[in-house]
């Protein structure tokens, strides 16, 4: 039994990226990797989500209206196809404005990605809702909480990790940039989230001590899905991650681990920061 990590942080040593062969994304999927069963929810694109949400601006936000602005945000997200109700409720509970710079608070609940320092951004609310819903739909039978552990690669400012903490029994989130790891720790400390563990280390290597994971979600995109992630994924689990194709495009990839092997589906084009190995 893995000893529970003490919140809000565990410092990990730098871990080299796994050398064994990754799961690559080609223009055409290989016969060994079958596509997942199509569904309306999984086929809907992030670009479609963004345009629908952006058409309903929030406007400036004062300190007294932040809660009202958050309610408007979740109401906009709730009407989009495929967004899981549990994700909507989790995003209602997490104050997004506390994870960004004070100068940008007025934009906290708009459909924008915002800078968080170190060349990184906090994802648009619609993108967060889209990716987390892709995970939640796998566990629809479980109700509002996934009965297992989630791994997030790329903690950033900590917002998505906070949302995930409302969706699963336990969440591990790993960040390779020390400054962002420390910022996320400071952002999350006031929330006292007992089931969320922040790790400083190489996300490409995952965190084997916390596995197997019911799902793995990445906030950065590489040329391939690291083998370590599929190794640490539980049977029946799902990976949601941006990945580059042979043609140079970055697309959202969903991988399901089944008794018959890995089933993969390439979804819409996306734009995330590069997935890197090592720590800074």
């Amino acid at each position: 039994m893995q000893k529970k990590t003490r919140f809000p942080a565990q410092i990990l040593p730098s871990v080299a990226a796994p050398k064994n062969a990754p799961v690559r994304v080609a223009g055409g999927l290989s016969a060994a990797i079958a596509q997942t069963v199509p569904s309306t929810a999984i086929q809907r694109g992030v670009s479609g989500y963004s345009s629908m949400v952006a058409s309903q601006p929030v406007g400036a936000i004062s300190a007294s209206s932040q809660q009202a602005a958050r309610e408007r945000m979740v109401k906009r997200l709730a009407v989009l196809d495929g967004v899981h109700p549990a994700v909507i409720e989790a995003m209602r509970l997490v104050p997004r404005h506390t994870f960004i710079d004070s100068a940008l608070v007025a934009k906290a609940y708009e459909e924008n990605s915002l800078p968080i320092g170190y060349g990184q951004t906090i994802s648009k609310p619609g993108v967060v809702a889209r990716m987390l819903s892709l995970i939640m739909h796998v566990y629809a039978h479980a109700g509002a909480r996934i009965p297992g552990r989630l791994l997030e690669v790329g903690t950033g400012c900590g917002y998505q990790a906070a949302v995930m903490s409302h969706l699963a029994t336990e969440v591990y989130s790993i960040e390779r940039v020390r400054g962002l790891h420390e910022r996320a720790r400071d952002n999350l400390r006031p929330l006292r989230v007992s089931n969320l563990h922040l790790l400083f280390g190489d996300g490409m290597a995952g965190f084997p001590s916390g596995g197997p994971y019911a799902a793995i979600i990445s906030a950065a995109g590489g040329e391939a899905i690291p083998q370590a992630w599929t190794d640490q994924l539980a049977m029946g689990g799902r990976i949601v991650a941006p990945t580059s194709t042979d043609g140079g495009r970055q697309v959202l990839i969903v991988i399901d681990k089944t008794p018959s092997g890995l089933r993969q589906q390439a979804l819409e084009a996306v734009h995330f920061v590069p997935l890197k190995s090592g720590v800074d």
Side-chain angles (χ1 to χ4, degrees):
M1 180 66 70
Q2 166 70 16
K3 184 178 180 181
K4 181 172 286 189
T5 308
R6 185 177 180 182
F7 183 80
Q10 172 177 326
I11 304 299
L12 298 181
S14 177
V15 182
K19 296 182 180 179
N20 40 346
V23 178
R24 293 197 170 274
V25 180
L29 302 181
S30 68
I33 303 179
Q35 289 205 354
T36 53
V37 178
S39 68
T40 301
I42 205 170
Q43 295 290 349
R44 193 59 179 268
V46 166
S47 58
Y49 275 60
S50 298
S51 61
M52 288 179 66
V53 176
S55 66
Q56 305 175 57
V58 173
I61 302 175
S62 67
S64 61
S65 65
Q66 288 165 352
Q67 179 63 43
R70 188 154 73 249
E71 288 296 327
R72 291 194 294 272
M73 177 192 74
V74 298
K75 286 180 180 178
R76 290 195 306 275
L77 297 175
V79 302
L80 302 180
D81 291 343
V83 176
H84 196 282
V87 174
I88 293 298
E89 183 58 28
M91 294 180 73
R92 173 180 284 114
L93 295 173
V94 179
R96 190 171 187 258
H97 65 276
T98 64
F99 290 84
I100 62 176
D101 292 336
S102 57
L104 298 173
V105 164
K107 299 179 179 295
Y109 298 104
E110 295 179 3
E111 186 60 13
N112 292 322
S113 57
L114 300 170
I116 56 174
Y118 303 92
Q120 308 296 306
T121 60
I122 180 174
S123 295
K124 299 176 181 180
V127 173
V128 173
R130 163 72 164 162
M131 295 180 74
L132 294 183
S133 291
L134 286 171
I135 290 174
M136 286 301 299
H137 283 300
V138 177
Y139 296 94
H141 63 281
R145 188 175 286 265
I146 296 171
R149 294 172 172 175
L150 303 185
L151 174 65
E152 178 188 40
V153 177
T155 309
C157 63
Y159 172 73
Q160 184 168 267
V163 176
M164 291 170 66
S165 73
H166 292 282
L167 301 175
T169 304
E170 200 164 10
V171 176
Y172 289 85
S173 182
I174 187 167
E175 174 59 55
R176 63 177 297 274
V177 179
R178 186 181 294 274
L180 283 176
H181 166 74
E182 293 174 349
R183 175 171 181 170
R185 180 181 58 191
D186 292 341
N187 288 341
L188 288 160
R189 184 177 288 112
L191 300 181
R192 298 186 178 278
V193 186
S194 61
N195 68 332
L196 172 58
H197 312 294
L198 301 186
L199 312 170
F200 174 65
D202 184 354
M204 288 187 69
F207 184 56
S209 297
Y213 298 102
I216 299 174
I217 188 168
S218 177
E223 294 183 357
I225 300 295
Q227 183 71 43
W229 296 2
T230 57
D231 290 344
Q232 294 168 33
L233 188 66
M235 186 60 63
R238 170 171 282 187
I239 294 173
V240 177
T243 309
S244 297
T245 67
D246 289 346
R249 291 195 322 139
Q250 192 182 74
V251 297
L252 195 62
I253 290 294
V254 170
I255 293 178
D256 294 304
K257 193 170 189 176
T258 75
S260 59
L262 299 176
R263 296 189 304 179
Q264 175 177 293
Q265 185 174 12
L267 303 180
E268 65 271 11
V270 291
H271 182 67
F272 282 78
V273 297
L275 179 67
K276 298 179 179 180
S277 62
V279 294
D280 289 337

